[in-house]
Amino acid sequence: MKFFLDTADIKEIREAHDLGLIDGVTTNPSLVAKTGKPFHKVAEEILKVVDGPISLEVVARDTSHMIKEARILSKIHKNVVPKIPLTREGLKAVKVLSTEGISINQTLCFSATQALLSAKAGAAYISPFIGRLDDISHDGLQLIQDIVTIYQNYGFQTEVLVASIRHPLHVLEAAKMGAHVATMPFKVLEQLINHPLTDMGLEKFLKDWEKVPGNKIV
Ligand code: G3P
């Protein structure tokens, strides 16, 4: 399973990158706005740190301008994956751009039928927002299972990029289902690392080590 960081905060991206476990980054206009920095500056910073797919979102709403923006974004750097919303106009844009060989992350997916259309249009990634579905009492993880099944049934190459992840169980269940990518906030990445029994176990081991005078590794 690939791990992407779902943030535009360069400090978090640097820290996660130092772990050596981050394969890419996803951003959206809200995440960029939180940094207080202009879009191009944020994009430049992220591209310098992470050598993997970096999702940058278009802001146009009609097909021709989405295509124009996505082409510009894809020329910034080989790692840029333009992000296009899953609207009627967005599907048309994905069809054109994928035919040109530009990898697109189709975002704001909330149903399996939307995901099916996106795969048919040739998206490289589909981003189902599972936390936002959970928020309105729909089962976000069931959507991941449905999409994985449909894509496997027909051999679609589109990768399932689980987005709007809120906690470690989202990552665990999506991994069991065989989703290709999980994009998560920095906080969730940290939650995946930490376990109280690891901390307690380590403390006990080190105390026992100190009980024997003259103990040394080499
Ligand atoms: O990348 C977009 C997505 O992950 C948004 O998450 O927490 O705003 O629902 P959230």
Side-chain angles (χ1 to χ4, degrees), residues 9-182:
D9 182 325
I10 196 64
K11 270 176 67 188
E12 290 182 345
I13 292 169
R14 283 206 184 97
E15 205 173 327
H17 177 69
D18 284 349
L19 269 174
L21 300 173
I22 291 302
D23 303 296
V25 174
T26 51
T27 68
N28 61 41
S30 306
L31 292 171
V32 173
K34 272 196 212 167
T35 68
K37 297 178 202 168
F39 173 77
H40 69 275
K41 174 85 185 144
V42 172
E44 196 180 300
E45 284 178 344
I46 299 172
L47 286 159
K48 272 189 201 152
V49 176
V50 179
D51 184 15
I54 311 296
S55 289
L56 301 176
E57 193 155 340
V58 304
V59 289
R61 298 182 75 162
D62 64 286
T63 304
S64 65
H65 287 96
M66 281 179 181
I67 292 171
K68 197 174 161 200
E69 288 183 8
R71 282 181 185 144
I72 291 169
L73 290 173
S74 72
K75 282 192 186 116
I76 294 177
H77 192 283
K78 67 175 174 48
N79 287 340
V80 171
V81 177
K83 213 172 172 187
I84 291 185
L86 213 161
T87 57
R88 178 187 295 254
E89 296 293 301
L91 283 168
K92 288 197 275 183
V94 169
K95 181 71 189 177
V96 172
L97 292 159
S98 63
T99 309
E100 290 175 9
I102 297 176
S103 292
I104 300 294
N105 174 1
Q106 190 136 41
T107 189
L108 288 166
C109 170
F110 293 95
S111 80
T113 45
Q114 283 183 319
L116 176 56
L117 295 176
S118 186
K120 284 180 72 67
Y125 301 93
I126 184 71
S127 287
F129 279 27
I130 63 172
R132 293 192 193 184
L133 280 170
D134 289 354
D135 288 345
I136 57 160
S137 302
H138 284 249
D139 188 347
L141 282 164
Q142 183 57 52
L143 174 59
I144 300 304
Q145 183 61 76
D146 290 347
I147 299 172
V148 168
T149 302
I150 291 168
Y151 283 8
Q152 278 172 357
N153 284 349
Y154 297 100
F156 284 119
Q157 297 301 302
T158 306
E159 294 194 33
V160 181
L161 194 169
V162 184
S164 187
I165 282 178
R166 300 276 159 79
H167 49 72
L169 275 180
H170 275 155
V171 181
L172 173 67
E173 294 304 322
K176 280 157 53 177
M177 290 166 185
H180 306 85
V181 192

Side-chain angles (χ1 to χ4, degrees), residues 209 212-218:
W209 171 265
V212 182
N215 250 352
K216 57 179 184 176
I217 295 284
V218 284

